[in-house]
Amino acid sequence: MKVVLFCGGYGMRMRDGASDLPKPMHPVGPRPLIWHVMRYYAHFGHKDFVLCLGYGAHHIKNYFLNYDETESNDFVLHQGEVELMGSDIQDWNITFVHTGLDSPIGERLRRVKALVKDEEMFHANYADVLTDAPLDAMVEQFAGTDAVGQLMAVPPQSAFHCVDVDENGRLDSITTLQEMPIWENGGYLMFRPEIFDFLEKDCDLIADAAAPLARKGRMSAYRHRGFWQPADTVKERNALEAAYQSGARPWMLWESRETDQDPLQAAIAEMHRSSHQRD
């Protein structure tokens, strides 16, 4: 299945005032976010990528045009020549498409229609969220439906408490969002080409296309309660970096590392410790 990655937004919440990098190009370890997302799909055999570029396109193009395999692969330096002991992207196919500086997500997808219209199904992703979700199971579930699209649903991430207040101001209950029967869009999407029948010019993918399809019963969801971490802000990106440096990297399913701790639980604890406390 082809993988469409939306990587052309401004990413204002990620901006640190010192860099003009687009959000997917901010690093986690030696590689940018977009690489981690692509490596996740490649782990499951999906290696044909369509990058929907916009703001900061030159950063993404230059990164892959000048890709250094030695940053994340072991190698031998013999008489001045590099002999790689592994490779990341040699069997990847990456198509770079400029889809506009200010295009909403639906328009970005509409502009790459010609590249995926003949696919039975295809993946789509915001290129800024990492997970350990079982992609094969997600594909299998979607293939068994007649839905036009499917999204990965995750529990709400906010640590704030929800309260139920009566007319007299008395609290009836206090609970966390995670305890409530609601789910968030986790950003790992799949579509059939029929989605293009619902994409108007300059539309939003979720609000203008997926939401009406959901009301018609033509959207499905794969519920995932495992590891899922966005990088919408500098704080969240820093949490991912801390997890990477600690060795707790549950999203890196392609690694087979023996550790003395449960990497999933360690990473969740590391990433969400600060977010569960008031600033």
Side-chain angles (χ1 to χ4, degrees), residues 12 17 121 225 244:
M12 296 303 294
M121 302 179 295
R225 289 189 177 275
Y244 181 92

Side-chain angles (χ1 to χ4, degrees), residues 44-269:
F44 289 96
H46 307 284
K47 302 178 181 181
D48 195 345
F49 301 96
V50 178
L51 306 191
C52 297
L53 305 175
Y55 172 78
H58 63 287
H59 287 291
I60 298 174
K61 290 178 180 178
N62 288 339
Y63 177 76
F64 286 105
L65 286 172
N66 300 287
Y67 190 79
D68 184 0
E69 291 274 15
T70 64
E71 286 189 6
S72 53
N73 289 289
D74 294 334
F75 64 94
V76 176
L77 185 63
H78 178 65
Q79 296 182 348
E81 296 293 328
V82 173
E83 298 177 5
L84 288 170
M85 299 176 66
S87 176
D88 295 327
I89 72 170
Q90 287 186 359
D91 59 347
W92 294 6
N93 184 69
I94 309 174
T95 303
F96 299 80
V97 183
H98 200 289
T99 54
L101 284 177
D102 300 304
S103 300
I105 297 296
E107 177 63 17
R108 294 192 189 282
L109 180 56
R110 200 176 69 87
R111 293 189 184 189
V112 298
K113 174 182 177 180
L115 298 173
V116 295
K117 64 182 178 64
D118 296 326
E119 298 290 305
E120 180 181 354
M121 302 179 295
F122 62 91
H123 296 284
N125 195 292
Y126 302 123
D128 62 1
V129 179
L130 304 181
T131 187
D132 68 348
L135 188 60
D136 286 349
M138 287 193 281
V139 172
E140 181 179 3
Q141 176 178 299
F142 184 45
T145 72
D146 65 351
V148 176
Q150 176 175 284
L151 58 80
M152 184 174 76
V154 297
Q157 301 300 299
S158 173
F160 291 104
H161 289 91
C162 298
V163 297
D164 187 9
V165 187
D166 67 16
E167 294 179 354
N168 299 316
R170 187 183 300 273
L171 288 182
D172 293 329
S173 66
I174 301 176
T175 186
T176 64
L177 274 175
Q178 289 83 357
E179 295 173 297
M180 300 181 71
I182 57 176
W183 297 80
E184 289 184 2
N185 172 15
Y188 282 70
L189 311 164
M190 280 178 269
F191 294 103
R192 291 183 166 90
E194 189 181 347
I195 186 63
F196 293 105
D197 296 337
F198 299 87
L199 291 178
E200 302 291 337
K201 183 177 176 60
D202 292 326
C203 76
D204 179 74
L205 177 59
I206 300 301
D208 297 328
L213 281 166
R215 289 192 290 270
K216 296 178 180 179
R218 301 297 309 282
M219 286 289 297
S220 64
Y222 182 92
R223 287 178 288 193
H224 179 60
R225 289 189 177 275
F227 177 84
W228 179 86
Q229 177 66 35
D232 284 331
T233 66
V234 173
K235 183 177 181 180
E236 289 173 340
R237 206 288 306 173
N238 289 343
L240 281 170
E241 179 66 22
Y244 181 92
Q245 296 301 336
S246 75
R249 310 162 188 171
W251 68 89
M252 297 179 70
L253 299 175
W254 52 94
E255 289 190 339
S256 55
R257 210 180 256 126
E258 294 295 329
T259 63
D260 295 329
Q261 60 178 340
D262 181 340
L264 173 58
Q265 297 303 320
I268 291 175

